[in-house]
């Protein structure tokens, strides 16, 4: 057995072991880019949330910390739309771009360190203003958004890349970023808002070809509750995750809450891996104007479904775009009876 086999075996139970320590269900953080915006960041930029790595790394750290204090057990780095190609288009060198990518994970790890220090400093009888300050296992996941995210026009909600974009193109597009993020100190890689089957295939092939030691999750988005946004079959997409030993969980993110239950039931047919769910608020996004239209959906609409989703098979639950630390606090509270620790 080579060293790579040893490493894969030792990380192959990371999510299941983590879930066990969390009492069966883990809380994922909430919308990251939209939370930066709520704090005043202007993300009308091709880099979207990754712009803050350049302009306001302190805010990036503060938002991670807010999610930890709201009860998130897993935080995702600010690298969703951070790509070497995107930074290069802004005039950054390859070295600078690579260092920004690594920085995104370092900042998340720093937030975790600050959080643990706060937990130590807070005695049990101190008031914590509703903050969850509890020493517990916390994972940092390196976010990898799709090629559509890099296009910066909301294409991750269509998954239509045109005929020129084939499997090799997507693998080459993502290769260096995945290598870097895998060696950045993150506990896992979060391939998220994956809009089509081709890109899912590219991600799992990259994990194998590049002998990536950091395990991953694979999370798709849907706009009809049946298929992924491109129209590709969710079952076929989830089965790609199931086929790869380095993918430790499969699920759905950035999808309206009303579709989630059916999507869990569909994924459950094809996977034995933990299922993760982190829906958006249910509002619509205009990818050109980079604006959300508020359809009146609120945190209160979302949270009551969380226990049903867990009963249906989800074991990692959080929020995506336009959810906030309040959403995560409410999810944490709502799951507290379900957790066995
Ligand atoms: C999941 S969508 C809201 C992401 C935003 C998009 N990549 C953009 O740049 O507008
Ligand atoms: N983790 C990213 C996903 C965007 S769909 C974010 O929350 O900004
Ligand atoms: Zn989202």
């Amino acid at each position: 057995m080579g060293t790579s086999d040893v490493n894969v075996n030792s990380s192959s139970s990371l999510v299941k072991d983590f879930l066990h320590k969390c009492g069966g269900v883990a809380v994922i953080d909430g919308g990251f880019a939209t939370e930066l915006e709520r704090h005043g960041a202007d993300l009308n930029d091709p880099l979207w949330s990754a712009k803050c790595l350049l302009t306001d790394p302190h805010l990036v750290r503060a938002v991670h910390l807010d999610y930890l204090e709201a009860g998130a057990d897993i935080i995702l780095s600010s690298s969703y739309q951070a790509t070497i190609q995107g930074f290069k288009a802004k005039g950054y060198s390859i070295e600078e771009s690579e260092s920004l990518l690594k920085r995104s994970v370092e900042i998340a790890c720093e937030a975790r360190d600050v959080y643990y220090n706060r937990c130590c400093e807070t005695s049990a009888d101190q008031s914590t203003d509703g903050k969850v300050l509890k020493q517990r296992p916390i994972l940092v996941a390196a976010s990898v958004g799709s090629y559509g995210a890099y296009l910066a026009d909301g294409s991750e909600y269509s998954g239509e890349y045109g005929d020129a974009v084939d499997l090799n193109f997507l693998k080459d597009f993502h290769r260096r970023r995945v290598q870097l993020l895998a060696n950045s100190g993150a506990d896992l890689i979060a391939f998220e808002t994956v809009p089509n089957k081709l890109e899912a295939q590219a991600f799992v092939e990259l994990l194998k070809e590049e002998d990536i030691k950091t395990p991953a999750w694979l999370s798709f988005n849907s706009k009809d509750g049946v298929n992924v946004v491109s129209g590709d079959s969710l079952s076929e997409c989830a089965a790609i995750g199931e086929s790869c030993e380095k993918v430790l969980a499969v699920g759905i993110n950035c999808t309206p809450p009303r579709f989630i239950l059916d999507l869990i039931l569909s994924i459950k047919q094809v996977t034995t891996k933990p299922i993760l769910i982190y829906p958006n608020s249910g509002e619509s996004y205009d990818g050109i104007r980079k604006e959300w239209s508020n359809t009146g959906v609120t945190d209160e609409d979302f949270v009551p479904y969380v226990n049903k989703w867990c009963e249906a098979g989800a074991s990692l639950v959080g929020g995506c775009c336009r959810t906030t630390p309040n959403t995560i606090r409410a999810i944490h509270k709502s799951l507290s009876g379900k957790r066995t620790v």
Side-chain angles (χ1 to χ4, degrees):
M1 186 186 278
T3 35
S4 89
D5 296 326
V6 170
N7 284 332
V8 168
N9 288 341
S10 63
S11 62
S12 63
S13 57
L14 176 98
V15 171
K16 283 188 175 157
D17 292 349
F18 183 73
L19 284 171
H20 183 69
K21 287 181 199 143
C22 290
V25 188
V27 178
I28 304 172
D29 66 8
F32 197 80
T34 52
E35 189 58 13
L36 294 170
E37 282 181 319
R38 221 169 58 86
H39 283 274
D42 175 6
L43 303 187
N44 192 349
D45 187 278
L47 291 178
W48 201 45
S49 49
K51 183 186 160 198
C52 274
L53 280 169
L54 304 166
T55 58
D56 204 347
H58 292 284
L59 179 60
V60 172
R61 192 183 301 103
V63 169
H64 286 313
L65 199 47
D66 283 349
Y67 277 122
L68 292 172
E69 291 182 345
D73 305 305
I74 305 177
I75 54 172
L76 274 63
S77 67
S78 52
S79 45
Y80 175 80
Q81 204 145 315
T83 62
I84 296 166
Q85 297 88 336
F87 288 129
K88 208 173 151 209
K90 291 265 178 192
Y92 289 88
S93 67
I94 303 248
E95 293 71 27
E96 287 167 332
S97 308
E98 294 189 350
S99 132
L100 282 162
L101 268 170
K102 287 196 165 185
R103 190 75 196 114
S104 69
V105 173
E106 284 163 10
I107 294 173
C109 292
E110 285 166 16
R112 176 170 59 182
D113 292 343
V114 173
Y115 177 78
Y116 281 144
N117 284 335
R118 286 194 187 170
C119 291
C120 291
E121 286 159 6
T122 311
S123 62
D125 56 352
Q126 245 175 313
S127 160
T128 55
D129 299 328
K131 290 176 182 169
V132 179
L133 289 171
K134 181 171 176 260
Q135 279 283 354
R136 62 186 192 279
I138 289 167
L139 296 181
V140 169
S143 167
V144 173
S146 64
Y147 173 65
Y150 156 78
L151 294 177
D153 57 1
S155 294
E156 62 270 70
Y157 285 160
S158 76
E160 286 166 14
Y161 295 160
D163 293 341
V165 173
D166 61 11
L167 186 64
N168 284 330
F169 176 95
L170 288 175
K171 283 198 281 187
D172 288 341
F173 176 81
H174 287 294
R175 192 177 307 273
R176 183 69 187 137
R177 175 161 73 141
V178 169
Q179 285 171 333
L180 273 163
L181 290 173
N183 294 311
S184 62
D187 301 299
L188 74 158
I189 302 171
F191 295 115
E192 53 172 350
T193 333
V194 181
N196 59 40
K197 195 174 155 185
L198 191 67
E199 200 153 19
Q201 189 66 35
F203 287 137
V204 302
E205 289 192 17
L206 269 186
L207 290 175
K208 286 179 206 153
E209 279 173 22
E210 299 305 317
D211 195 18
I212 299 292
K213 307 287 194 305
T214 308
W217 79 39
L218 196 52
S219 181
F220 299 93
N221 55 333
S222 170
K223 54 190 177 195
D224 62 5
V226 180
N227 297 311
V228 302
V229 289
S230 63
D232 289 342
S233 148
L234 174 63
S235 304
E236 288 174 20
C237 288
I240 290 173
E242 178 65 11
S243 70
C244 177
E245 62 170 6
K246 297 181 186 195
V247 172
L248 303 189
V250 179
I252 295 289
N253 75 293
C254 216
T255 293
R258 63 185 178 278
F259 297 139
I260 296 294
L261 184 59
D262 285 345
L263 296 167
I264 294 172
L265 298 175
S266 164
I267 293 175
K268 213 161 78 171
Q269 304 288 319
V270 293
T271 192
T272 52
K273 301 188 185 201
I275 297 176
L276 58 99
I277 290 298
Y278 52 112
N280 59 27
S281 64
E283 294 164 276
S284 317
Y285 185 65
D286 179 332
I288 304 301
R289 296 161 66 95
K290 298 207 186 316
E291 281 175 6
W292 292 88
S293 63
N294 190 321
T295 51
V297 181
T298 65
D299 294 344
E300 285 73 24
D301 294 326
F302 172 126
V303 175
Y305 298 109
V306 164
N307 277 289
K308 283 202 178 65
W309 295 341
C310 291
E311 279 154 29
S315 50
L316 302 112
V317 185
C320 204
C321 295
R322 300 276 275 184
T323 65
T324 71
N326 276 344
T327 321
I328 299 311
R329 200 170 291 111
I331 291 174
H332 173 86
K333 204 170 156 196
S334 143
L335 290 176
S336 55
K338 200 170 216 72
R339 299 169 114 186
T340 53
V341 286

